[in-house]
Amino acid sequence: MEVRVANVRKEFDRFPALHDISLDIRSGELIALLGPSGSGKTTLLRLIAGLEAPTEGAIYFGEEDASYKSVQERNVGFVFQHYALFRHMTILENISFGLKVRPSATRPPKGEIRRRALELLDLVQLSGLEKRYPNQLSGGQRQRVALARALAIEPRVLLLDEPFGALDAQVRRELRKWLREIHDNTNHTTVFVTHDQEEALELADRLVVMSQGMIEQVGSPDDVYDKPNSPFVFGFIGESSYLPVEVENKELWVGGRAIGLPAPDETTGAALLYFRPHDVELVEDGAALAGVVAASRRVGGTRRVELEIGGGKERVEIDLPFDHPAGEKSRIAFRPKRWRLFPVKG
Amino acid sequence: MAAFSTRFTFRRGNRRMVLTTRKRARWRFRQPSVIPGFGLTFGFMIAYFSLIILIPLIALGIRSAGLGFDGFWRYATDPRVLGALRVSFSTALIAALVNVVFGTLLAWVLVRYRFPGRRIVDAIIDLPFALPTAVAGIALTAIYAPNGPIGAFFAPFGIRLAYTPAGIVIALIFVGLPFMVRTVQPVLEEVQHEIEEAAATLGANRWQTVTRVLLPGLTPAILTGFALAFARAVGEYGSVVFIAGNIPLVSEIAPLLIVIRLEEFNYVGATVIAAVMLMISFALLFIINLIQAWSRRRFGYAL
Amino acid sequence: MPSSAAQRRVRAATSESRPVQWVLIGISLVFIAVILVLPLTTVFAEAFRRGPDEFLKALADKDAQAAIRLTLLVAAISVPLNIVFGVCAAWAIAKYEFKGKAFLITLIDLPFSVSPVISGLVYVLLFGAGSMLGPWLRSYGIEVLFAVPGIVLATIFVTFPFVARELIPLMQVQGTGDEEAAISLGANGWQTFWRVTLPNIKWGLLYGVLLCNARAMGEFGAVTVVSGRIRGQTTTMPLQIEILYNEYNAVAAFSLAAMLALLALVTLVLKSILEWRFGDELAATNGGH
């Protein structure tokens, strides 16, 4: 099922939460809404589910305008951060709830409901726990039950709101892999919200990076990581360092010295140079960024070096292999291998 | 000899070590704490509790035990006593059931809806806790007596409320209501909004969400509130005696029969009724605790 | 306006429709009006039925005055004693870990599940004719039953748990960190209690005292049994109300009742103010009874 969000605006008591959002979600894809808290990602998810109504704009499921449909009619599977399992029901009762509450005309017979619930329990690898109560399961197990419960109604879209947000790092990683497998097997159109970029990069077919109620960038994880189209995205996704530079004569300058990087187009004036700390090459001579080592610490397999550039006015970080000889030096010159330039407005 | 003596000291040392570890793991009444005053406060609490509550209750127990089983049974199965117990427990049961319905509804309305005067309604729920029972008793009688505003409304239809068991039920609804509301209300406030949203996304309509998801989740609280309201109603005296009519076997409640027996200086008769009532009350208390323990074990929450 | 239509449809997902809400609110308000508000207003209406003069005359009556004095005296003795008990119990239970604590908390609630009449009866058995204590005390000129001490004892019994059950959960939530900090800074036990613990629990304490006092002044069943109802001597206000009512002196009965109803209203108002203003500091308590 394709989902199309068309020019949606959402206000809560006059406070704008989303500004004119448009987004096409392709059938069968696993798409992540990524952003800091307050960016509107959860609001967008709840609008798609029908748990909130847009102030303006429409949401289409396929060709059909779903804006006027109630949450019950939309037939979406929703997984909540804190599971929201019915604690007075057994696991099996939880999973079969969505089928049991259907009107009698479309409700499967009892035996069929039970069979399908058990099948789903097997899919989420919790066979044998059908008689337990939610309270008797671990957080990871509860979230699996929540997913099985959402899948039981054969949803047109599967929506997950920070599904692993309440879990330990270890369990998170396991469930991430497992969710990917489930998605590949069932091929539901899936939208999940997260503020964890690693989770989004690893899991999603496409990312939607959001900030302050607007979409900053949509693209594959590689696209977004390699070609961030704004300082926000560059800063939010992955490690980054930045440095104010001057653009003149199709070259970049820092403190009156050319640094050996060509300006990409005709822009001139002040700009910000963004690069990944690990994506740099050290150079001995010639035009480069040179700085005095201000701090150096080993982080696992790399050494993070903090450099003062331009007489201590700016600091950037670069990563070196932890046993690289340059780590001992007091002065390092380098050039970013890949970088982006964002003009400073005003 | 030297070897022997070293071995001996070693063994003695060893034994001393065993002793000290055993001392550390010894049963301990209380965990150590740097905060002073345990002896004083604990001692006062136990002494006061024993003098005021425990010894008098034990005295009652000894008195009734002194009758022996046969004597006790003879007094307890006196038709008037049985009648009074039946009236007390049946009216309390009906009142508690009415409160289950309306108490839950009130808790729901107070937690979920916003309407003018909500805070005042919320505050006035506690009126039966604050209003002396005798005051409630005469006021209810004035209202439901055949010449009172509500009594006069029913009188033409031949329906009498005051001076009948119906009047007792009304008074017991009054005293039991806050127990129900104040037990369900906090639990309802804690219900996560997500639970309802989850039910809605799964296709449940509002009625299904309320009856299959929300109310069953409230069951332990409702049961507890019911038991509290019932226990209070069984023992209630002040608000009931004025409105009850106090006709033996029809509208005479057990606490009133105790008072009557005392006025007849029939201490034994009074003691037996009290003992029967206490046993039932404590059984109820025990059941409340069982419900809560069961609920906590199974669902991870109680009350 | 399509968007507002959508708004309405969606809101229905996790709440009832407006008409259903108003029906439920309406039923609740009618129920409250009939069951709670009507009795309260009836008390005042009946008290003033023959005008304010009769009301004031009823209050000025010699026996009524004696009943008011006795009620105040009983409350003035029993409430402070229960405060001391409540604070001690809460301190011992909340600040230390010891065996049998849960059972002890259940025991403290015991008087709530005992009929007030039985609360009075136990003292009749303990001090009345045929007991060992009663005649022995009488030989020293001490009357317990059908006298003020008996009334005080019965009142203490029924109001016993109020302060303690308000403070115990509150102090348990607050934990022992503050006290341990104070003691590590050199404060002794009394200083810790007065300067650290008491400021933390003062609103909860006041809350418990309010409920305790309301019950102490209004207790009827337990006092009925132990007082002997000697007019002008052992009748508290509720007992005097009963006597007047049974003498068909309704205005006088309701006049005294109005005073107690006023006390109940003041209690409710103060309680509500405490809950609204200091809700966080009372947070550990789940409603009062």
Side-chain angles (χ1 to χ4, degrees):
Chain A
M1 175 71 54
E2 288 165 20
V3 176
R4 195 152 61 80
V5 178
N7 302 101
V8 161
R9 201 165 61 78
K10 174 67 183 173
E11 285 177 3
F12 291 107
D13 297 328
R14 306 266 151 221
F15 172 78
L18 291 176
H19 310 271
D20 196 26
I21 295 272
S22 292
L23 177 67
D24 286 338
I25 297 166
R26 296 171 200 148
S27 186
E29 80 173 330
L30 181 55
I31 193 165
L33 305 182
L34 178 65
S37 52
S39 58
K41 54 193 192 303
T42 294
T43 304
L44 180 56
L45 194 76
R46 292 170 60 86
L47 282 165
I48 297 171
L51 292 169
E52 308 281 355
T55 311
E56 264 172 42
I59 288 158
Y60 296 90
F61 281 22
E63 288 305 306
E64 172 194 39
D65 184 353
S67 310
Y68 299 103
K69 290 202 157 185
S70 73
V71 54
Q72 286 94 344
E73 293 163 331
R74 286 194 199 189
N75 198 32
V76 295
F78 203 104
V79 174
F80 296 84
Q81 180 178 1
H82 297 288
Y83 331 123
L85 293 178
F86 309 132
R87 52 189 187 169
H88 63 281
M89 294 183 196
T90 62
I91 300 311
L92 195 73
E93 287 165 343
N94 262 286
I95 297 175
S96 41
F97 179 83
L99 296 174
K100 283 186 186 161
V101 295
R102 283 193 186 169
S104 53
T106 56
R107 192 192 314 144
K110 263 191 177 169
E112 170 71 9
I113 291 180
R114 187 182 158 80
R115 194 187 59 73
R116 270 162 67 177
L118 286 172
E119 217 174 84
L120 279 163
L121 202 61
D122 191 44
L123 177 76
V124 299
Q125 299 158 7
L126 291 177
S127 296
L129 298 184
E130 62 265 24
K131 286 189 182 140
R132 299 277 188 92
Y133 284 85
N135 181 47
Q136 298 164 323
L137 302 187
S138 71
Q141 289 175 321
R142 286 184 215 185
Q143 201 53 295
R144 290 176 196 216
V145 174
L147 186 75
R149 184 179 68 173
L151 290 173
I153 60 168
E154 291 165 343
R156 296 197 285 181
V157 191
L158 189 60
L159 306 171
L160 303 97
D161 185 8
E162 302 251 9
F164 312 133
L167 302 171
D168 297 342
Q170 179 72 30
V171 183
R172 273 172 102 120
R173 270 193 293 276
E174 279 169 28
L175 282 195
R176 218 184 273 165
K177 224 182 295 170
W178 165 86
L179 178 65
R180 184 74 230 182
E181 280 166 24
I182 296 235
H183 177 263
D184 292 346
N185 290 337
T186 58
N187 257 319
H188 280 97
T189 307
T190 305
V191 186
F192 75 100
V193 159
T194 180
H195 64 261
D196 179 346
Q197 43 159 315
E198 194 188 316
E199 190 169 292
L201 289 168
E202 187 183 324
L203 202 48
D205 296 324
R206 285 201 300 156
L207 297 186
V208 179
V209 184
M210 296 183 68
S211 163
Q212 299 184 337
M214 284 182 280
I215 293 181
E216 292 277 340
Q217 188 170 2
V218 182
S220 71
D222 293 353
D223 263 358
V224 174
Y225 189 83
D226 293 335
K227 297 179 203 120
N229 63 5
S230 71
F232 172 81
V233 177
F234 213 123
F236 188 71
I237 308 266
E239 303 277 340
S240 65
S241 276
Y242 70 91
L243 192 66
V245 295
E246 289 289 325
V247 187
E248 226 179 291
N249 296 335
K250 298 195 176 185
E251 253 195 299
L252 303 188
W253 303 72
V254 174
R257 285 183 50 185
I259 57 171
L261 299 177
D265 47 38
E266 297 299 316
T267 53
T268 56
L272 287 172
L273 173 73
Y274 272 82
F275 59 93
R276 306 281 180 206
H278 61 85
D279 213 7
V280 296
E281 54 180 348
L282 299 190
V283 291
E284 289 299 327
D285 287 306
L289 279 165
V292 178
V293 176
S296 160
R297 43 186 200 281
R298 188 180 154 184
V299 184
T302 60
R303 177 172 297 280
R304 177 150 302 172
V305 181
E306 208 174 309
L307 296 176
E308 281 182 355
I309 290 186
K313 273 193 296 182
E314 302 294 339
R315 283 189 171 203
V316 295
E317 286 182 339
I318 61 169
D319 288 349
L320 303 173
F322 76 92
D323 51 354
H324 194 284
E328 304 296 318
K329 295 208 282 188
S330 63
R331 197 178 160 80
I332 294 178
F334 72 97
R335 268 196 300 262
K337 283 195 277 190
R338 264 170 295 196
W339 44 274
R340 307 267 303 174
L341 204 59
F342 298 104
V344 176
K345 285 166 204 140
Chain B
M1 188 68 204
F4 174 79
S5 101
T6 15
R7 217 172 67 195
F8 180 75
T9 25
F10 171 69
R11 199 194 260 165
R12 200 173 56 178
N14 203 12
R15 188 189 293 160
R16 190 177 281 161
M17 219 176 72
V18 168
L19 273 176
T20 43
T21 31
R22 188 178 295 160
K23 196 173 182 183
R24 202 166 297 146
R26 195 190 59 181
W27 185 88
R28 205 187 267 280
F29 169 59
R30 128 183 123 86
Q31 303 290 313
S33 165
V34 298
I35 301 172
F38 180 78
L40 180 72
T41 53
F42 188 82
F44 181 79
M45 167 175 73
I46 295 297
Y48 190 80
F49 178 77
S50 304
L51 282 176
I52 300 289
I53 310 287
L54 214 53
I55 291 174
L57 280 178
I58 288 170
L60 185 140
I62 291 172
R63 274 286 182 108
S64 40
L67 288 173
F69 182 79
D70 288 340
F72 189 88
W73 186 253
R74 203 170 57 246
Y75 277 103
T77 53
D78 174 77
R80 193 167 165 193
V81 172
L82 286 180
L85 288 171
R86 199 188 61 238
V87 170
S88 274
F89 281 90
S90 59
T91 52
L93 181 69
I94 296 168
L97 288 175
V98 172
N99 277 332
V100 163
V101 176
F102 284 96
T104 308
L105 174 70
L106 272 165
W108 179 272
V109 167
L110 285 173
V111 172
R112 291 305 177 100
Y113 304 151
R114 293 294 170 267
F115 55 94
R118 187 183 69 91
R119 280 190 152 186
I120 296 171
V121 173
D122 193 21
I124 210 163
I125 295 285
D126 284 333
L127 181 73
F129 287 151
L131 192 71
T133 51
V135 177
I138 61 171
L140 289 170
T141 311
I143 295 165
Y144 293 96
N147 58 351
I150 294 184
F153 178 79
F154 283 99
F157 306 103
I159 301 172
R160 269 164 52 99
L161 295 174
Y163 317 125
T164 67
I168 302 178
V169 171
I170 291 169
L172 295 182
I173 291 172
F174 176 87
V175 298
L177 182 66
F179 288 94
M180 197 67 212
V181 178
R182 296 300 185 225
T183 313
V184 176
Q185 199 176 11
V187 180
L188 195 55
E189 271 165 2
E190 292 299 307
V191 173
Q192 289 170 3
H193 205 56
E194 289 184 349
I195 297 288
E196 289 160 76
E197 292 183 342
T201 60
L202 293 168
N205 62 35
R206 190 62 191 160
W207 175 250
Q208 288 169 322
T209 304
V210 172
T211 55
R212 297 195 181 193
V213 175
L214 290 174
L215 288 180
L218 293 178
T219 308
I222 292 175
L223 279 176
T224 305
F226 169 81
L228 288 172
F230 180 71
R232 169 71 200 261
V234 164
E236 179 56 24
Y237 175 72
S239 57
V240 176
V241 279
F242 297 98
I243 201 172
N246 305 331
I247 305 154
L249 301 176
V250 178
S251 59
E252 184 179 68
I253 54 166
L256 175 67
L257 193 56
I258 295 178
V259 174
I260 291 172
R261 290 281 189 256
L262 280 177
E263 282 169 355
E264 295 164 350
F265 298 103
N266 183 352
Y267 286 10
V268 178
T271 307
V272 168
I273 304 169
V276 172
M277 287 183 68
L278 276 183
M279 282 191 272
I280 298 173
S281 297
F282 292 162
L284 264 173
L285 205 66
F286 184 63
I287 291 168
I288 296 176
N289 281 322
L290 279 188
I291 293 172
Q292 291 189 356
W294 168 78
S295 159
R296 205 174 294 126
R297 206 173 48 244
R298 188 160 195 191
F299 308 121
Y301 62 95
L303 244 172
Chain C
M1 222 48 190
S3 65
S4 72
Q7 201 100 32
R8 202 165 56 235
R9 290 292 287 278
V10 169
R11 186 174 293 143
T14 52
S15 183
E16 290 72 42
S17 63
R18 273 276 143 189
V20 173
Q21 289 195 17
W22 283 114
V23 168
L24 295 180
I25 292 171
I27 294 173
S28 303
L29 291 181
V30 169
F31 185 78
I32 289 286
V34 172
I35 294 291
L36 299 182
V37 179
L38 190 59
L40 188 62
T41 52
T42 301
V43 173
F44 293 103
E46 292 285 327
F48 286 97
R49 200 163 57 166
R50 298 222 195 96
D53 291 346
E54 284 289 316
F55 171 76
L56 290 174
K57 216 176 90 191
L59 292 186
D61 176 75
K62 186 167 61 59
D63 291 346
Q65 292 278 320
I68 293 173
R69 273 198 304 275
L70 180 60
T71 298
L72 292 176
L73 174 70
V74 169
I77 299 171
S78 54
V79 173
L81 280 172
N82 280 339
I83 292 175
V84 175
F85 164 75
V87 171
C88 282
W91 183 273
I93 286 173
K95 302 296 176 196
Y96 306 93
E97 289 304 322
F98 57 88
K99 301 269 194 293
K101 197 155 129 176
F103 181 62
L104 201 61
I105 296 174
T106 313
L107 278 185
I108 288 176
D109 271 350
L110 201 62
F112 280 143
S113 24
V114 173
S115 170
V117 169
I118 298 177
S119 314
L121 169 71
V122 291
Y123 291 110
V124 173
L125 296 183
L126 211 56
F127 295 108
S131 71
M132 282 174 40
L133 269 177
W136 182 72
L137 286 171
R138 194 172 300 131
S139 68
Y140 289 95
I142 301 170
E143 293 284 347
V144 175
L145 220 51
F146 312 131
V148 175
I151 297 175
V152 170
L153 277 175
T155 305
I156 290 177
F157 187 110
V158 293
T159 58
F160 177 82
F162 282 98
V163 178
R165 68 169 298 146
E166 214 54 55
L167 289 186
I168 290 169
L170 183 63
M171 283 170 70
Q172 277 179 326
V173 167
Q174 287 175 351
T176 56
D178 288 7
E179 284 76 15
E180 281 163 359
I183 282 163
S184 75
L185 294 169
N188 66 32
W190 278 112
Q191 290 168 324
T192 305
F193 174 73
W194 285 106
R195 301 201 185 174
V196 177
T197 309
L198 197 59
N200 279 336
I201 61 167
K202 59 175 183 284
W203 299 120
L205 182 62
L206 184 58
Y207 192 96
V209 170
L210 272 176
L211 298 177
C212 182
N213 179 63
R215 182 70 193 267
M217 291 196 174
E219 179 48 35
F220 180 65
V223 175
T224 297
V225 174
V226 293
S227 99
R229 279 175 268 191
I230 307 161
R231 252 186 127 127
Q233 285 181 38
T234 63
T235 52
T236 58
M237 287 170 80
L239 293 178
Q240 183 70 13
I241 290 171
E242 187 199 20
I243 291 172
L244 292 168
Y245 189 82
N246 286 341
E247 289 170 351
Y248 300 100
N249 192 347
V251 171
F254 276 105
S255 298
L256 269 185
M259 296 305 292
L260 287 175
L262 200 64
L263 170 77
L265 280 180
V266 170
T267 303
L268 282 189
V269 169
L270 289 177
K271 181 174 177 292
S272 300
I273 291 173
L274 281 180
E275 279 167 2
W276 296 337
R277 290 247 356 237
F278 307 105
D280 301 342
E281 290 168 59
L282 302 169
T285 62
N286 46 1
H289 27 93

